[in-house]
Amino acid sequence: LTQMSAPTILRHIHLPGITPFSLAQSIQQRLVRQFLEYKALISSPSTPSPLPPPPDPTILTFTPTPVYTLGRREHDTLTPSQTSLLKSPLHPLNPESWKEIKNSNKVEPEYAEIVETQRGGQTTFHGPGQLVVYPILDLRSNFPKFPKGISVRCYVHLLESTTIATLGRWSIKGVRTENPGVWEESGERKIAALGVHLRRNVTSYGVGLNVQTDLRWFDRIVACGLVGKGVTSM
Amino acid sequence: MASIARSLRPVASRFVPRSSRSAPSWRLSSFQARCFSASSAVQAKKYTKDHEWIELSEDKKTGYIGISEYAAHALGDVVYVELPTTPMEVAAGDSIGAVESVKSASDINSPISCKIIAVNDSLEEKPGMINKGPEDESSGGGWFAKVEVTEAGIKDLEGLMDGAEYKAFTEEE
């Protein structure tokens, strides 16, 4: 039973521009697979010696094409009318001048796809104007601040703290409520959604932080299943 | 009486498809018997590094799977349980469902190769039962699935930890 040595690097992979959501998902899946294969390798009867180094914990950041993602509990729960609402076009906001129309690429309406994921949590929206942050790491590693690994609850708390600290750098006060995620000061509107998947303690998915997201996309859903609560952006 | 017993325990009739109408009430009392004579009638629990447990029946032909006290405590309040459909043949390490807490869905993997023949449906309505009795395989407990053990499964058991080893393992964490 070998203790994995402390990871010294946190790798950051940023996908520039707007990325198709499915592409970001497949990159994420590859990273997860590296971790799972490593786990299988070190617990197999024929473990190589010396051990190869473990995969680097990685943070994947990107801005996807418009997409509504569903958590595990929601698979096959959308009605045909809900599906057609989510897939209906979102028309660009009225430009203030003809000049804007001429220069803008956004005269065409946009469409969102619907993707079922394996993460926890319910329905949320990701798209242009939002920063999606997916850390892929093994919670059972020996980290400098957590030498015995991190529990799921501590990890979620850490994702929230990090998001709050990030907002703080832009002088925005983010708060926690009894529901996971990060909210603006009054706790009425969510500024960052959270949902994680764990396979053998390897994390995937994470946080969606609204920077300049077109909040109209959120009007079509009860974001994260919380009736009566709103959504906001930085 | 039998029909009342059947409506109270719809899952019981799935265990033995060829059972007669009186079987469900008989089966209820056999679960209770299992509770009282836990240590001698069943094999001791074995654990995986990912905090799942398996407990075999005395004849080693069937068993129960669940998550450990340690895992249930680490997860916090379970709000949703994803159960497998039955029957399902799985290899050791295959994902058989998930438990969700704090917006995190943690996969549950089968500790051994086996065939899942029943699941604890009560967890769909009351996922919190996992927190109350994660290692309890009685009818009111938080067990996850009931399985039929295959040859390969008996071998897989050898790689798992017993109670004492598991306790030491969790203390290391």
Side-chain angles (χ1 to χ4, degrees), chain A residues 170-212:
Chain A
W170 270 269
S171 309
I172 296 174
K173 184 156 194 270
V175 299
R176 286 187 175 87
T177 64
E178 69 260 3
N179 298 299
V182 179
W183 303 69
E184 50 71 44
E185 244 178 297
S186 72
E188 287 302 310
R189 288 170 305 172
K190 193 182 273 199
I191 195 168
L194 190 154
V196 176
H197 180 209
L198 289 136
R199 285 189 69 180
R200 301 200 67 189
N201 280 287
V202 177
T203 65
S204 52
Y205 298 93
V207 174
L209 174 61
N210 291 326
V211 182
Q212 245 191 313

Side-chain angles (χ1 to χ4, degrees), chain A residues 72 121 140 196-198 200, chain B residues 50 82 100 103 105 107 173:
Chain A
R72 274 177 111 119
R140 288 197 57 228
V196 176
H197 180 209
L198 289 136
R200 301 200 67 189
Chain B
D50 297 321
E82 185 186 291
E100 184 179 332
K103 303 256 174 166
D107 276 14
E173 289 217 313

Side-chain angles (χ1 to χ4, degrees), chain A residues 1 3 39 42-43 72-75 118-122 140 148-149 151-153 155-156 179-181 190 194-201 224-226, chain B residues 48-52 70 72-77 79-80 82 93 95-109 161 169-173:
Chain A
L1 246 182
Q3 264 269 339
K39 284 202 168 204
I42 58 173
S43 44
R72 274 177 111 119
R73 352 178 192 163
E74 296 183 322
H75 288 198
Q118 297 289 300
R119 61 162 172 77
Q122 293 173 275
R140 288 197 57 228
K148 292 186 172 193
S151 71
V152 179
R153 282 194 288 181
Y155 176 64
V156 167
N179 298 299
K190 193 182 273 199
L194 190 154
V196 176
H197 180 209
L198 289 136
R199 285 189 69 180
R200 301 200 67 189
N201 280 287
C224 313
L226 295 165
Chain B
T48 68
K49 288 192 194 156
D50 297 321
H51 311 292
E52 293 108 3
Y70 180 88
H73 180 75
L75 284 170
D77 292 333
V79 299
Y80 176 70
E82 185 186 291
S95 171
I96 57 175
V99 291
E100 184 179 332
S101 67
V102 291
K103 303 256 174 166
S104 305
S106 301
D107 276 14
I108 309 260
N109 303 310
M161 294 178 270
F169 170 73
T170 57
E171 272 154 24
E172 215 178 78
E173 289 217 313

